[in-house]
Amino acid sequence: MPRHNFSQAVKKAAKARAGGFCEAVGSVYGLEPGQRCNAPLAGKRVEIDHYPIPATDEGSDVLENAVTCCTDCHGRKTASYDIPMQAKGRRLALRAEGIRPASQMRSAGFVKAQPQKSATRPIIRRSEQI
């Protein structure tokens, strides 16, 4: 899947719209629902995130999908939302092709049998037969 990156014009417009503060909002970024981070971005590394449309989808490189955020919020979203969603997408694509991962279930195995006993004749070991 190709990644759709933001153009320089979209990045500049997103930074101007943010006004120097983190635009991350909600539980996707590790905040309370509806809460905005508002961390000051002056003098810090600023990251432009694709949300709500993932970077791999067509039409994700527009200003409406650009979120100017701090590295903390972007890192939390990447770890808790983006990576699991990409893994799920790969699993579903493989399942659609008929490819399934190996089962993780393991058998408990068979119970060891008790040594053989005979009430009518003595046990003769093979080593004793020769």
Side-chain angles (χ1 to χ4, degrees):
M1 288 185 254
R3 182 177 172 83
H4 300 280
N5 293 318
F6 294 114
S7 66
Q8 290 298 322
V10 169
K11 289 179 183 180
K12 286 179 182 179
K15 286 180 184 179
R17 179 187 66 199
F21 295 96
C22 179
E23 292 183 309
V25 177
S27 58
V28 172
Y29 290 96
L31 306 168
E32 294 294 321
Q35 180 186 4
R36 182 173 166 165
C37 176
N38 277 332
L41 298 174
K44 295 182 182 178
R45 181 176 171 181
V46 177
E47 297 185 359
I48 311 294
D49 187 23
H50 293 81
Y51 187 74
I53 304 169
T56 55
D57 290 356
E58 192 71 35
S60 66
D61 53 354
V62 294
L63 180 60
E64 292 76 23
N65 195 49
V67 177
T68 305
C69 57
C70 60
T71 56
D72 291 340
C73 288
H74 193 228
R76 277 193 297 270
K77 177 183 171 274
T78 300
S80 66
Y81 182 78
D82 291 340
I83 292 173
M85 290 300 284
Q86 290 171 357
K88 182 177 182 178
R90 282 192 293 272
R91 285 192 310 271
L92 292 176
L94 290 174
R95 185 184 303 167
E97 294 175 15
I99 301 170
R100 295 187 184 262
S103 175
Q104 299 298 318
M105 293 181 61
R106 298 286 181 240
S107 166
F110 294 102
V111 179
K112 292 281 186 186
Q114 295 295 323
Q116 180 181 355
K117 296 180 184 176
S118 174
T120 58
R121 56 189 161 84
I123 298 173
I124 301 173
R125 302 196 193 296
R126 288 186 184 189
S127 61
E128 296 172 358
Q129 288 179 356
I130 303 176

